[in-house]
């Protein structure tokens, strides 16, 4: 809706509903950390300057004489204003409406929902983590003027609002390109008229903004001295513009690394670690990349649809906010900066997509990150465990996609195991097999409780041999390509004949006799269940107390994978399973007796079907007919209660 006051000069507009809600939240604030408003305004000014630089690459007359980029922060104690001025790209009238009149951020709706929840829960810190940009200035200002002139426009415009119901726009005069934001500070915020306070905020939140932030020099003379000898105060730079990634590592404190991390990512936690290097070579580049530890409610980098990638600078110009060309998707949680002088400044996005320089940098970054993660795991195991809990699934994707690197990546994975009380790496797992011939045993399934029910674990428990428990969906894919690690085979315990105990000659002989005794019965069991369902029936005396279990034939697709492929609509051949029966189980013994006494008995058929259904359930499978199973169970229970 638009209320036209004076069609020629001043136009008044109402805020959109969402903007109104944000402003309402801000002004009646719940919010304890008002001071981030300056960081937001300076960041907007710096972005506007980046855009002007970028524009000038293709439009050589765009900058004119105004090429000395800077952000000015000025205090007027009398007028009680704080003014932030930039000579960036500026805004046309339409752009003012679009950018300042509405909140165009895609995450706004989600943000409002989170904020309202947080308000109920009393979490006042959320706003600071999200940053509502320009509007945060209404936390300290009673009204705001934005005077702006686009570099493409001769006209300038002034936007004014008290942050309540709407705003006014009028044409105005302004020398040169850029934007000036004038904050009329409210009662209670007059501390912001103190020079030291503003400098402190700039240092704290905007120290590494790549543009000089200028303030009037401090006049430390007494009032008398000032009167006696008036002096024109010069502007001086308050921040450090040498980008942190170009500084020497030894000159940077841990806190500075953390501050910079918070400014390039949306994460307000400390990162797990960083990679800072300056590479000179065929392709030269500097980089400062960060690995997160926590996830972030406002910017969940586990989401493959999120924009990701470090900022890309070429010769001090920010070319891309998110250079996804520099990192593979499965490294989407890494943020930071890459700067190179080996790209032309006027490179287009299309050219970036197949660029050799970027490919070379990308390869080297991937290696560095893997290497750094390995180091972090030993240096800070607890932090790494948190990181792995949050991003481990993405790491496992790497094994699948980065087949050249799969072993290095496998080295930094962590797994739950049957016997261990905390996650271990494959190397740590192999350590547990010191005196044995090494094999990596694993079992896959939907959940920990499901895999722990597998009868195939019995002999591992008995012999205290550890087994890796794989319960992530991605594990099936990962294991499919990993196959071996440091030349040691990975073996699925549900798809291999494994006997951990050495059999004596006597035991072997006994087993052979048992085999013979059961041979015909096993054939009958197979036919009763149906050769369309099972390929073979075997004996396995390593199943603990269990009646039986289903094995996957060597080389055949395991049932979880089969299910996944089917769910994805892939054509998969139905793989037949192998039913293994435990010869020392009472029911199996009863089957044998029945087979001898009356080969056609109903009891033998029931026992056979029951054994098969139990084996399906034990591996987390679904029964075709639950009623049959319940019926049989009741039958057995009936016997039991006799
Ligand atoms: P964000 O900066 O996160 O997009 P803001 O609410 O802070 O959100 O700003 C909204 C938009 O207003 C910016 O994206 C930009 O297009 C425009 N804008 C804000 N400040 C300036 C400025 N100083 N110069 C030019 N454009 C600006």
């Amino acid at each position: 809706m638009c209320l036209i006051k004076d069609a020629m000069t001043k136009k008044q507009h109402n805020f959109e509903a969402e903007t109104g809600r944000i402003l309402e939240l801000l002004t009646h604030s719940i919010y304890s950390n008002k001071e981030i408003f300056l960081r937001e305004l300076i960041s907007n000014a710096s972005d506007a300057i980046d855009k002007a630089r970028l524009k000038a690459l293709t439009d050589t007359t765009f900058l004119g004489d105004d090429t000395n980029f800077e952000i000015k922060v000025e205090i007027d104690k009398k007028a009680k204003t704080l003014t932030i001025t930039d000579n960036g790209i500026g805004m046309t009238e339409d752009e003012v409406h679009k950018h300042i009149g509405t909140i165009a951020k895609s995450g706004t709706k989600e943000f409002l929902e989170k904020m309202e929840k947080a308000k109920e829960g009393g979490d006042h810190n959320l706003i600071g983590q999200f940053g509502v940009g320009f509007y945060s200035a209404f936390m300290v200002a009673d009204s705001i003027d934005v005077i702006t002139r686009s570099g493409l426009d001769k006209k300038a415009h002034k936007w004014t609002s008290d942050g309540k119901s709407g705003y006014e726009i009028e044409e105005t005069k302004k020398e040169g390109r850029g934007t000036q934001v004038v904050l009329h500070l409210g009662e209670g915020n007059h501390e912001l008229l103190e020079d030291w306070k503003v400098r402190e905020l700039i240092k704290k939140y905007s120290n590494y903004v790549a543009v000089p932030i200028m303030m009037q020099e401090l006049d430390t003379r007494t009032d008398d001295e000032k009167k006696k000898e008036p002096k024109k105060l010069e502007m001086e730079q308050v921040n450090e513009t040498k980008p942190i990634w170009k500084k020497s590592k030894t000159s940077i404190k841990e806190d500075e690394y953390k501050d910079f991390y918070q400014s390039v990512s949306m994460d307000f936690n400390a990162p797990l670690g960083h990679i800072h290097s300056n590479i000179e070579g065929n392709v030269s580049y500097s980089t400062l990349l960060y690995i997160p530890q926590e996830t972030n409610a406002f910017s969940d980098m586990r989401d493959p649809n999120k924009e990701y990638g470090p900022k890309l600078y070429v010769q001090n110009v920010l070319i891309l906010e998110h250079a996804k060309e520099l990192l593979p998707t499965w490294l989407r949680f890494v943020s930071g900066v890459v700067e190179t002088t080996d790209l032309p400044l006027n490179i287009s996005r299309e050219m970036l997509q197949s660029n050799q320089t970027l490919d070379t940098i990308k390869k080297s970054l991937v290696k560095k990150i893997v290497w750094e993660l390995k180091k972090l795991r030993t240096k800070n195991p607890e932090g790494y465990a948190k990181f792995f809990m949050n991003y481990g699934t993405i790491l496992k994707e790497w094994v699948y996609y980065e087949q050249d690197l799969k072993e290095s990546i496998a080295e930094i994975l962590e797994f739950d195991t049957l016997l261990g009380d905390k996650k271990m790496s494959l190397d740590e797992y192999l350590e547990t097999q010191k005196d044995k011939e090494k094999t990596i045993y694993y079992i896959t399934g939907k959940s920990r409780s499901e895999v722990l029910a597998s009868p195939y674990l019995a002999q591992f428990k008995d012999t205290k041999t550890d087994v890796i428990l794989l319960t992530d969906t991605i594990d099936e894919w990962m294991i499919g390509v990993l196959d071996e690690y440091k030349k040691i085979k990975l073996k699925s315990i549900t798809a291999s004949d494994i006997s951990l105990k050495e059999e004596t000659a006597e035991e072997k002989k006994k087993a052979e006799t048992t085999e013979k005794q059961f041979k015909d019965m096993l054939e009958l069991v197979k036919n009763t269940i149906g050769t369309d369902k099972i390929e073979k029936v075997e004996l396995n005396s390593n199943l603990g107390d269990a009646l039986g279990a289903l094995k996957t034939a060597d080389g055949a697709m395991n049932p979880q994978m089969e299910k996944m492929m089917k769910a994805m609509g892939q054509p998969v051949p139905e793989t037949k399973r192998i039913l293994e029966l435990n010869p020392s189980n009472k029911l199996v013994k009863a089957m044998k007796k029945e087979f001898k006494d009356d080969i056609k008995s109903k009891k033998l058929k029931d026992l056979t079907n029951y054994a098969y259904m139990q084996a399906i359930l034990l591996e987390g499978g679904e029964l075709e007919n639950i009623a049959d199973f319940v019926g049989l169970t009741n039958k057995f229970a009936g016997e039991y209660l006799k």
Side-chain angles (χ1 to χ4, degrees):
M1 201 185 3
C2 165
L3 307 173
I4 299 177
K5 244 192 187 175
D6 178 336
M8 288 311 287
T9 53
K10 244 182 204 177
K11 294 176 212 151
Q12 190 170 346
H13 304 264
N14 284 348
F15 282 127
E16 281 193 335
E18 278 193 347
T19 313
R21 274 172 76 202
I22 289 265
L23 285 164
E24 172 103 11
L25 263 169
L26 284 171
T27 39
H28 296 99
S29 205
I30 56 163
Y31 186 48
S32 51
N33 194 13
K34 288 180 177 184
E35 53 191 33
I36 52 106
F37 83 93
L38 191 57
R39 173 191 82 196
E40 300 293 320
L41 295 184
I42 288 178
S43 153
N44 282 349
S46 155
D47 289 349
I49 287 172
D50 283 336
K51 284 178 197 156
R53 278 201 181 111
L54 197 61
K55 176 85 189 145
L57 297 179
T58 46
D59 181 350
T60 44
T61 58
F62 182 75
L63 297 180
D65 300 335
D66 191 2
T67 53
N68 187 21
F69 291 109
E70 58 180 25
I71 299 168
K72 273 192 269 184
V73 178
E74 289 160 301
I75 295 168
D76 185 334
K77 284 197 172 181
K78 259 197 217 135
K80 299 194 170 43
T81 57
L82 182 67
T83 302
I84 295 98
T85 310
D86 66 68
N87 53 350
I89 192 136
M91 282 175 276
T92 61
E93 183 176 4
D94 274 356
E95 283 166 342
V96 175
H97 280 298
K98 209 162 94 200
H99 300 318
I100 310 270
T102 55
I103 293 185
K105 278 186 183 163
S106 57
T108 307
K109 203 159 165 253
E110 189 193 359
F111 168 71
L112 282 168
E113 280 159 14
K114 285 201 171 121
M115 264 319 282
E116 268 152 22
K117 269 203 199 108
K119 204 160 75 172
E120 287 156 23
D123 184 352
H124 295 180
N125 221 4
L126 276 178
I127 239 183
Q129 297 192 8
F130 182 74
V132 273
F134 173 78
Y135 288 98
S136 57
F138 281 110
M139 291 189 297
V140 298
D142 283 346
S143 70
I144 301 178
D145 306 328
V146 178
I147 298 138
T148 184
R149 200 182 116 188
S150 162
L152 300 170
D153 201 352
K154 286 212 168 57
K155 287 183 198 158
H157 292 90
K158 180 174 170 188
W159 176 99
T160 308
S161 172
D162 60 3
K164 292 200 173 91
S165 56
Y167 59 90
E168 283 176 353
I169 292 190
E170 63 185 313
E171 215 178 293
T172 189
K173 290 220 155 42
K174 183 186 179 304
E175 288 273 315
R177 178 196 70 232
T179 302
Q180 186 165 49
V181 179
V182 185
L183 308 180
H184 298 271
L185 296 171
E187 241 2 276
N189 293 307
H190 290 170
E191 196 189 17
L192 293 165
L193 296 170
E194 298 302 330
D195 186 275
W196 64 268
K197 180 66 196 173
V198 177
R199 280 172 193 255
E200 183 189 277
L201 294 185
I202 294 175
K203 281 267 179 207
K204 185 166 169 194
Y205 295 109
S206 311
N207 202 24
Y208 293 112
V209 168
V211 186
I213 302 172
M214 310 296 286
M215 283 185 74
Q216 202 170 53
E217 69 178 301
L218 275 177
D219 192 355
T220 50
R221 297 171 304 161
T222 62
D223 286 348
D224 278 351
E225 284 168 338
K226 282 183 199 164
K227 254 189 213 150
K228 250 189 239 157
E229 197 187 332
K231 172 178 161 193
K232 183 173 179 320
L233 295 170
E234 299 292 330
M235 295 299 274
E236 66 181 8
Q237 188 170 334
V238 185
N239 63 330
E240 279 188 55
T241 36
K242 181 161 186 177
I244 181 168
W245 62 91
K246 283 193 180 160
K247 289 168 71 173
S248 80
K249 285 187 210 177
T250 47
S251 68
I252 307 170
K253 296 194 200 80
E254 213 41 49
D255 264 359
E256 294 175 61
Y257 274 125
K258 183 177 147 204
D259 289 347
F260 186 68
Y261 170 64
Q262 295 180 338
S263 75
V264 285
S265 67
M266 286 286 279
D267 188 4
F268 279 72
N269 301 292
L272 174 67
H274 64 256
I275 297 155
H276 183 185
S277 40
N278 287 298
I279 307 294
E280 300 283 338
N282 280 347
V283 174
S284 303
Y285 68 93
S286 320
T287 186
L288 176 54
L289 296 179
Y290 290 94
I291 296 158
Q293 180 168 306
E294 309 289 346
T295 53
N296 182 338
F298 293 119
S299 178
D300 190 350
M301 294 319 289
R302 290 170 302 183
D303 177 357
N305 301 317
K306 265 240 134 44
E307 271 204 298
Y308 74 93
K311 286 174 190 273
L312 173 65
Y313 283 88
V314 176
Q315 296 164 40
N316 289 327
V317 182
L318 178 66
I319 299 284
L320 280 180
E321 189 65 36
H322 293 287
K324 66 176 185 340
E325 292 78 3
L326 281 170
L327 287 177
T329 346
W330 48 99
L331 272 181
R332 57 189 175 267
F333 52 79
V334 174
S335 55
V337 170
V338 171
E339 164 139 33
T340 177
T341 42
D342 290 337
L343 281 175
L345 264 172
N346 57 354
I347 189 156
S348 67
R349 183 110 218 187
E350 293 69 46
M351 280 159 78
L352 286 172
Q353 272 162 16
S354 53
N355 182 280
Q356 273 220 312
T357 307
L358 288 188
D359 279 352
T360 312
I361 301 178
K362 179 174 173 177
K363 274 206 187 95
S364 132
L365 293 183
V366 171
K367 282 209 182 106
K368 275 187 205 302
I369 295 165
V370 175
W371 175 246
E372 184 62 28
L373 283 168
K374 200 170 139 188
K375 251 179 31 198
L376 286 166
R377 189 171 181 273
T378 20
K379 223 172 72 185
N380 176 4
E382 273 167 32
Y384 190 87
K386 270 195 205 153
F387 157 80
F388 197 82
M389 198 175 69
N390 290 323
Y391 299 99
T393 315
I394 308 182
L395 283 191
K396 290 174 182 175
E397 285 174 38
W398 298 14
V399 176
Y400 188 75
Y401 293 111
E402 287 276 15
Q403 299 219 3
D404 290 350
L405 278 176
K406 66 181 180 188
E407 257 197 18
S408 329
I409 300 163
E411 221 172 318
I412 53 174
L413 300 180
E414 295 192 328
F415 301 97
D416 281 326
T417 68
L418 174 66
L419 305 174
D421 49 12
K422 61 178 194 340
K423 286 187 190 288
M424 39 176 115
S425 67
L426 289 177
D427 288 316
E428 284 158 356
Y429 169 83
L430 288 168
E431 279 285 294
T432 67
Q433 294 187 347
K434 252 190 199 130
D435 312 319
K436 304 177 187 170
E437 197 187 324
K438 293 188 198 251
T439 309
I440 298 172
Y441 294 112
Y442 70 87
I443 180 164
T444 56
K446 285 200 293 284
S447 66
R448 195 183 160 86
S449 60
E450 180 189 300
V451 292
L452 287 178
S454 171
Y456 287 107
L457 288 172
Q459 58 168 333
F460 290 87
K461 288 179 195 156
D462 284 352
T463 56
K464 297 208 167 24
T465 306
D466 215 348
V467 178
I468 288 175
L469 311 178
L470 298 176
T471 54
D472 264 352
T473 316
I474 186 82
D475 288 341
E476 292 290 345
W477 303 96
M478 179 196 69
I479 220 72
V481 291
L482 195 54
D483 198 37
E484 59 174 36
Y485 174 71
K486 297 191 175 163
K487 301 224 158 39
I488 297 167
K489 270 269 168 219
L490 274 84
K491 238 185 200 176
S492 161
I493 67 163
T494 58
S496 335
D497 287 323
I498 301 164
S499 185
L500 296 169
K501 280 181 248 158
E502 278 289 335
E503 278 185 322
T504 60
E506 204 179 318
E507 279 166 338
K508 251 188 206 152
K509 212 163 165 206
K510 205 174 145 207
E512 275 165 22
T513 321
T514 318
E515 292 275 342
K516 268 190 207 138
Q517 289 170 347
F518 273 93
K519 192 170 171 277
D520 294 339
M521 186 193 101
L522 297 184
E523 194 58 25
L524 179 68
V525 169
K526 183 177 85 178
N527 292 326
T528 309
I529 296 166
T531 45
D532 54 329
K533 293 188 182 113
I534 50 173
E535 186 181 306
K536 213 161 70 179
V537 184
E538 296 174 346
L539 290 183
N540 184 343
S541 44
N542 286 319
L543 297 175
D545 303 333
L547 172 51
L550 282 170
K551 192 171 90 170
T552 305
D554 209 7
M557 189 181 284
N558 78 29
Q560 286 92 0
M561 192 69 164
E562 194 180 310
K563 244 185 252 164
M564 248 169 8
M565 300 285 276
K566 273 190 193 151
M568 286 159 56
Q570 303 277 344
V572 266
E574 196 87 29
T575 35
K576 286 189 218 161
R577 317 293 307 284
I578 297 166
L579 174 65
E580 296 200 317
L581 294 177
N582 176 3
S584 44
N585 178 281
K586 269 193 187 153
L587 284 174
V588 178
K589 280 183 181 158
M591 283 165 76
K592 195 173 117 204
K593 183 171 177 300
E594 211 48 43
F595 181 74
K596 214 166 128 202
D597 295 350
D598 177 7
I599 197 169
K600 289 196 173 125
S601 90
K602 173 91 171 74
K603 189 170 170 187
L604 178 59
K605 204 173 164 198
D606 280 353
L607 281 166
T608 300
N609 285 324
Y610 188 69
Y612 177 57
M613 288 193 256
Q614 254 202 19
I616 293 178
L617 287 177
L618 278 176
E619 67 159 23
E622 276 165 31
L623 296 178
E624 274 172 28
N625 190 338
I626 293 179
D628 282 355
F629 183 74
V630 174
L632 285 173
T633 310
N634 286 342
K635 228 182 211 176
F636 293 126
E639 287 286 314
Y640 194 54
L641 295 174
K642 248 183 208 166

